[in-house]
Amino acid sequence: MKIATAFCALALGALGLAACDSAQAANAVPRPEMDHALATTASRDTAVLAGGCFWGMQLVFEHVKGVLQVTAGYAGGQANTASYEQVETGATGHAESVRIVYDPSQVTYGQLLQVYFSVAHDPTELDRQGPDVGPQYRSAIFYASATQQQVAERYIAQLTRDKVFPRPIVTQLVPLRGFSPAEAYHQDFGKKNPDNAYIMINDAPKVRHLQQAFSALYVE
């Protein structure tokens, strides 16, 4: 459970270690070489990303300029198994994910991926993220178009080529087959519960790193 692992992480001093590692990563990850220019008119597009507990992913992307809505949910499995109790078994094929609705005239898909790889999660952790363990916490990009697939593929290749991370990137790149919103009590959990131990230890530092590393993209 997330709450229990928060206290375990605190006992191990994970807060200081995670802050140091995340700050270094945020400063090291370059922009994608392949990306599209900002659109000339306002519109709406969608990105679905997985990278550990959806509480933190949602909290980070809610602070990105041009993001209109972030929904915590499940992707990768069947709709009839998209419930927290089932997904937490690790046997459904789902990953805890976020659906990001954004305005491409304010932020590009490539910029969202840069935030994703820089501060939202660690793309070198296999089937886990920080204190959370299991395939439901895997790193995955669920692309909804050939353009998203191409930008993500090229970006992963770029980061791998330049050896940006000390370990191999394990992020899965798979087509989006569907997205199921999580239960109401998971939505905006970090925003509604800033004093929760798990949020303070694992997620609040990511928001601070976002502000430091991407000041032009950060919004309150």
Side-chain angles (χ1 to χ4, degrees):
M1 297 297 291
K2 294 181 175 67
I3 303 302
T5 54
F7 290 102
C8 178
L10 180 61
L12 293 173
L15 177 58
L17 293 174
C20 179
D21 291 345
S22 296
Q24 290 174 350
N27 291 329
V29 177
R31 288 192 64 167
E33 293 174 347
M34 177 185 178
D35 195 9
H36 297 284
L38 291 173
T40 57
T41 58
S43 61
R44 297 165 72 94
D45 207 342
T46 302
V48 175
L49 305 172
C53 173
F54 45 30
W55 293 348
M57 290 281 289
Q58 184 177 43
L59 190 62
V60 167
F61 283 103
E62 285 176 333
H63 286 280
V64 175
K65 176 184 176 182
V67 170
L68 307 175
Q69 182 183 44
V70 187
T71 304
Y74 313 106
Q78 301 298 315
N80 62 355
T81 60
S83 70
Y84 185 70
E85 290 73 17
Q86 294 178 87
V87 172
E88 285 305 286
T89 67
T92 64
H94 281 293
E96 289 197 10
S97 309
V98 289
R99 181 178 61 198
I100 304 162
V101 179
Y102 66 98
D103 180 353
S105 72
Q106 296 188 57
V107 64
T108 68
Y109 184 67
Q111 287 176 306
L112 294 178
L113 292 185
Q114 187 183 17
V115 170
Y116 172 71
F117 282 110
S118 297
V119 297
H121 85 308
D122 181 349
T124 70
E125 291 196 321
L126 181 64
D127 287 346
R128 67 171 300 158
Q129 201 64 209
D132 299 311
V133 181
Q136 68 272 29
Y137 297 111
R138 66 188 181 274
S139 174
I141 297 171
F142 295 94
Y143 59 85
S145 68
T147 298
Q148 288 189 353
Q149 179 184 12
Q150 189 176 28
V151 171
E153 283 179 344
R154 289 283 293 274
Y155 196 29
I156 292 172
Q158 173 191 340
L159 299 178
T160 300
R161 178 199 69 202
D162 294 344
K163 298 179 177 162
V164 172
F165 297 97
R167 298 183 300 274
I169 293 172
V170 297
T171 304
Q172 297 177 355
L173 185 57
V174 292
L176 178 65
R177 303 299 187 194
F179 177 87
S180 299
E183 294 79 357
Y185 66 90
H186 285 302
Q187 304 301 333
D188 296 316
F189 187 91
K191 186 185 295 184
K192 295 174 181 176
N193 300 276
D195 297 327
N196 176 275
Y198 183 96
I199 298 299
M200 289 191 297
I201 293 167
N202 297 288
D203 300 329
K206 296 178 183 178
V207 176
R208 292 195 292 271
H209 298 153
L210 174 70
Q211 184 176 19
Q212 294 164 5
F214 298 95
S215 59
L217 282 179
Y218 179 82
V219 292
E220 282 294 340

